Amino acid sequence: MSKLNLVFLGLILSPYVVAEVPTPAKLLAYNCFNCHGDNGVSKGGVPSIKGLPANILELHLKNYRDGTQASTVMGRIAKGLNDDEIKELSSFIATLK
Amino acid sequence: MAMHRRDFLKLSALAGLSVSGCGALRETTSSQNLNARVVIVGGGIGGVTAAKYLRRFAPNLQVTLIEPSTEYVTCPVSNWVIGGTRDIKSITQKYDALRTRHGAKVVHDLVTQIDVEAKVVTTKSGAKFNYDRLIASPGIEMKWDSIEGYNEAASEIVPHAWKAGAQTLLLRKQLEEMKDGGVVMIAVPANPFRCPPGPYERASLIANYLKQYKPKSKLIILDAKDNFSKQPLFIQGWKDLYGYDTPNSLIKWVPASEDGKVTAVDVKRKTLRTEFASHQADVLNVIPPQQAGLIARQTGLTNESGWCPVDAVTWESKIHPNVHVIGDASIAGKMPKSAFSANSQAKACAAAVVSLLQGDDPAASKYMNTCYSLLSPKYGISVAMVYQINDDGVIDEIAGAGGVSPATGNKQLEATFAENWYDNIMADIFA
Ligand SMILES: Cc1cc2nc3c(=O)[nH]c(=O)nc-3n(C[C@H](O)[C@H](O)[C@H](O)COP(=O)(O)OP(=O)(O)OC[C@H]3O[C@@H](n4cnc5c(N)ncnc54)[C@H](O)[C@@H]3O)c2cc1C
């Protein structure tokens, strides 16, 4: 076996080769942590978003976006998100452990 | 087994192998520890966020962050320390979690050279670090002597306090020692500079201190601009809180068009010179014009503007490949030079670096920013925006999104959120 194949074999057997690059919508979810805290757990007045079900997150974001839900800042942020992004980032946040 | 070049690249990059020429292999790491190496220059907001998220996205990456200080005093909330409502300890962050929880290597040293050809970083102590990709988040450097008489030595007497730490404490001490009835002066630069609303938040929180403890005093802002960030909200707040536009106003703002641009400083006599006048102060704060951190200029990562041109998706330098620049040092289209921006950029850059190391095409994502400012401990305002990359590859604002707090907004609630934002973003970065 050539050195090359040995290297690849080692790789395939190694448990560490997995890397998960977030999609653009998931990256947006990571931006929420700026205000909502590490992994979505807040230390104070801004509500935590970790643990909220996807449909509730989606509803909040859409209500903030169209103004049916009053906010200091969420409306201004939600207006920058489209339906697809809201859907994907909400289901991603709902799966956070 | 058949392998496409793309898959081969993917595996070899993750294994820390680099490809030179047609399929020739060069092993770049020890054989038990097969992974690619990313070196991060600068352990501030951008650098630490990038390190943490690189490890999150690719737990097998070797991430080494190089930063001279063993603690990081944040600029955000340093104006509250200057105003006397927080202490410096509460804004001092540590690197422990990055090491122990996220498995990045943290080296306390100064990077003195980046060899972009050999892909080697050299530090002051003489240590060398090879990298497959490098992320630089070196922040800003003052443009010394662009205001006559204001250089590094002068800043030991008249602080800029635009990098937090000893400078913050020096300005605070001078305010505490000032007599009631004294005049505080702040010289503010033209755009672009770090934290566009920062000087006006500082003015507000100093005014809050003066109002309580030295009510006969005045604060004058001498500005090299005619407009500033969140201006209508600041002016309204100064009226609500500090008698702005009345004869007894605590704050006076002098725009460039009214001879506000400071051209020279005499630090011993505490005087400022503008084109047509000379001003005597008791406490002086000079915020000079700025440029990308020294190492970025030494490495040739800057253009004639003094800042670093980068790709808006990957943050890779447009000058040197395999080197990414994020944070204040970068040219980021419409994004302001803020901690929130640096954090948003760092996450996208980390994702792009992992994609590139795997041989994938990085996907364009949106970015976010929000800057909170306090006008008093109970009076907060904000400006927010979501950004996308336009057809010219430039980061642009999304029409209809973002904007400033409404004039009728709940200032007290926003002050609470401002304080909580600080704790939460710091946990996102340093915990
Ligand atoms: C008074 C003030 C208030 C602010 N308030 C806010 C706010 O409320 N909200 C907000 O979003 N932003 C705020 N900012 C802006 C924010 O501080 C910056 O935008 C942010 O720090 C930028 O991050 P950075 O990683 O680019 O640079 P920095 O955080 O400055 O980090 C750069 C790091 O690189 C290191 N470094 C430099 N050269 C080298 C080298 N050669 N080798 C190794 N290490 C090196 C430095 O030691 C430093 O630790 C404020 C700024 C100021 C001045």
Side-chain angles (χ1 to χ4, degrees):
Chain A
M1 205 181 242
S2 72
K3 183 175 174 219
L4 207 82
N5 283 337
L6 273 175
V7 169
F8 286 136
L9 194 65
L11 259 177
I12 289 154
L13 297 177
S14 157
Y16 294 112
V17 288
V18 273
E20 208 203 309
V21 180
T23 61
K26 285 183 188 168
L27 262 177
L28 268 173
Y30 289 116
N31 279 272
C32 314
F33 300 168
N34 265 341
C35 291
H36 286 284
D38 189 22
N39 232 14
V41 181
S42 173
K43 292 173 174 248
V46 178
S48 288
I49 52 173
K50 189 181 164 182
L52 291 180
N55 59 337
I56 301 291
L57 281 161
E58 233 184 292
L59 193 67
H60 274 302
L61 290 170
K62 287 184 173 164
N63 288 345
Y64 282 133
R65 192 176 57 181
D66 67 21
T68 24
Q69 190 170 350
S71 67
T72 58
V73 72
M74 277 310 296
R76 289 181 269 155
I77 288 168
K79 284 191 178 75
L81 310 174
N82 63 36
D83 285 352
D84 290 345
E85 287 162 345
I86 287 178
K87 197 172 177 57
E88 192 186 341
L89 71 84
S90 296
S91 48
F92 173 63
I93 291 168
T95 63
L96 286 174
K97 294 223 176 49
Chain B
M1 101 185 148
M3 197 174 262
H4 297 292
R5 181 172 157 82
R6 192 185 179 82
D7 293 330
F8 171 77
L9 271 173
K10 203 181 249 187
L11 285 169
S12 59
L14 284 170
L17 304 168
S18 43
V19 185
S20 42
C22 308
L25 276 179
R26 181 165 58 94
E27 215 166 323
T28 52
T29 53
S30 78
S31 51
Q32 322 108 295
N33 200 2
L34 297 171
N35 38 36
R37 297 149 312 172
V38 180
V39 169
I40 298 177
V41 179
I45 303 294
V48 178
T49 308
K52 171 173 170 175
Y53 278 87
L54 276 169
R55 295 277 309 170
R56 179 169 186 152
F57 300 152
N60 57 320
L61 268 189
Q62 280 188 53
V63 176
T64 305
L65 179 137
I66 309 175
E67 157 68 44
S69 306
T70 53
E71 291 179 334
Y72 176 75
V73 182
T74 68
C75 284
V77 178
S78 66
N79 284 333
W80 313 12
V81 175
I82 289 166
T85 58
R86 283 280 277 251
D87 62 18
I88 197 109
K89 202 163 156 265
S90 73
I91 61 163
T92 304
Q93 307 292 335
K94 298 195 165 59
Y95 297 99
D96 301 345
L98 187 57
R99 273 197 195 95
T100 58
R101 218 180 133 210
H102 307 296
K105 196 170 161 198
V106 181
V107 175
H108 293 298
D109 208 340
L110 182 78
V111 172
T112 48
Q113 202 204 358
I114 303 172
D115 182 335
V116 295
E117 301 299 327
K119 300 209 248 175
V120 182
V121 164
T122 308
T123 65
K124 198 175 172 191
S125 72
K128 290 193 187 295
F129 300 86
N130 296 289
Y131 63 84
D132 298 298
R133 287 193 174 263
L134 180 141
I135 300 176
S137 193
I140 58 157
E141 208 60 45
M142 306 305 153
K143 274 190 173 167
W144 300 121
D145 291 314
S146 56
I147 294 175
E148 193 191 315
Y150 200 65
N151 53 28
E152 195 160 10
S155 74
E156 305 286 323
I157 304 165
V158 165
H160 51 74
W162 222 240
K163 290 185 179 182
Q167 283 277 310
T168 312
L169 292 174
L170 180 60
L171 181 54
R172 175 66 199 158
K173 181 164 166 276
Q174 293 181 356
L175 289 167
E176 280 173 346
E177 287 170 358
M178 188 183 82
K179 63 176 191 290
D180 188 9
V183 177
V184 181
M185 260 177 225
I186 307 179
V188 183
N191 294 322
F193 66 102
R194 159 177 283 184
C195 195
Y200 313 96
E201 180 189 60
R202 174 172 293 176
S204 308
L205 294 179
I206 292 175
N208 178 64
Y209 167 72
L210 297 177
K211 183 177 167 179
Q212 265 178 290
Y213 297 97
K214 291 165 187 174
K216 294 201 276 286
S217 311
K218 294 259 180 275
L219 182 141
I220 300 170
I221 306 164
L222 292 167
D223 208 326
K225 307 182 288 303
D226 283 332
N227 300 291
F228 61 88
S229 172
K230 294 182 264 192
Q231 185 170 348
L233 287 176
F234 271 109
I235 301 276
Q236 183 57 50
W238 293 344
K239 285 181 181 164
D240 294 344
L241 298 164
Y242 308 118
Y244 192 74
D245 262 357
T246 68
N248 289 325
S249 180
L250 248 166
I251 299 180
K252 186 176 169 198
W253 174 65
V254 186
S257 58
E258 290 167 25
D259 196 31
K261 185 173 187 256
V262 170
T263 54
V265 187
D266 184 331
V267 294
K268 293 229 173 61
R269 290 162 61 195
K270 297 216 182 327
T271 54
L272 287 180
R273 216 170 56 230
T274 56
E275 193 182 358
F276 299 109
S278 178
H279 302 265
Q280 179 68 51
D282 295 287
V283 172
L284 254 186
N285 171 212
V286 174
I287 305 167
Q290 297 147 30
Q291 58 196 330
L294 184 62
I295 190 70
R297 281 180 293 128
Q298 282 173 344
T299 312
L301 292 162
T302 50
N303 67 15
E304 65 292 344
S305 71
W307 306 100
C308 305
V310 292
D311 180 273
V313 176
T314 62
W315 301 86
E316 187 165 10
S317 166
K318 289 186 173 169
I319 301 170
H320 293 305
N322 305 309
V323 176
H324 302 248
V325 186
I326 55 175
D328 289 355
S330 68
I331 298 173
K334 284 276 167 61
M335 294 182 86
K337 297 187 188 301
S338 72
F340 198 127
S341 294
N343 174 286
S344 184
Q345 294 160 7
K347 289 167 181 168
C349 178
V353 162
V354 175
S355 290
L356 289 164
L357 288 171
Q358 288 183 318
D360 289 339
D361 287 334
S365 68
K366 289 182 177 174
Y367 299 102
M368 261 187 224
N369 178 59
T370 301
C371 290
Y372 282 105
S373 301
L374 285 192
L375 281 72
S376 82
K378 292 204 159 125
Y379 194 116
I381 59 174
S382 63
V383 57
M385 187 46 73
V386 186
Y387 304 87
Q388 65 190 2
I389 300 169
N390 69 19
D391 295 341
D392 300 323
V394 176
I395 299 173
D396 209 348
E397 299 176 345
I398 295 177
V404 297
S405 318
T408 55
N410 187 333
K411 310 295 192 293
Q412 188 156 352
L413 190 56
E414 285 228 277
T416 313
F417 289 151
E419 189 156 6
N420 190 210
W421 165 80
Y422 178 76
D423 292 340
N424 282 344
I425 190 175
M426 288 306 146
D428 178 45
I429 302 168
F430 287 95

